Amino acid sequence: MHTISDDCLVDALQKAVTFDLEINFICLLKEEIERREIVLDKELLQQIKVRKELERAS
């Protein structure tokens, strides 16, 4: 089994947010990153929060 590096996970999350992928996918990536205790950039966290709010509003 291959493991994904921490840097790859963070990069995938940033791209998922940038390219407006489904919020469920973004949340799964974020949960795995948090499970690994990786600290995320505050700007990225804010972008995810905004996306979640937009998703709930629609």
Side-chain angles (χ1 to χ4, degrees):
M1 177 187 228
H2 297 287
T3 56
I4 299 172
S5 73
D6 294 349
D7 290 340
C8 285
L9 273 176
V10 173
D11 188 49
L13 178 61
Q14 290 172 331
K15 287 179 176 159
V17 171
T18 300
F19 294 113
D20 203 27
L21 297 183
E22 285 199 31
I23 194 67
N24 292 337
F25 181 67
I26 291 170
C27 289
L28 286 173
L29 286 171
K30 184 175 174 273
E31 286 172 15
E32 177 60 21
I33 289 168
E34 289 172 345
R35 188 186 69 75
R36 294 187 186 194
E37 299 179 355
I38 301 168
V39 178
L40 291 171
D41 179 78
K42 288 183 181 185
E43 182 180 328
L44 182 57
L45 290 172
Q46 182 61 31
Q47 289 174 337
I48 294 168
K49 182 180 176 182
V50 168
R51 282 286 313 280
K52 283 182 180 179
E53 290 171 0
L54 288 173
E55 191 77 17
R56 287 184 194 132
S58 62

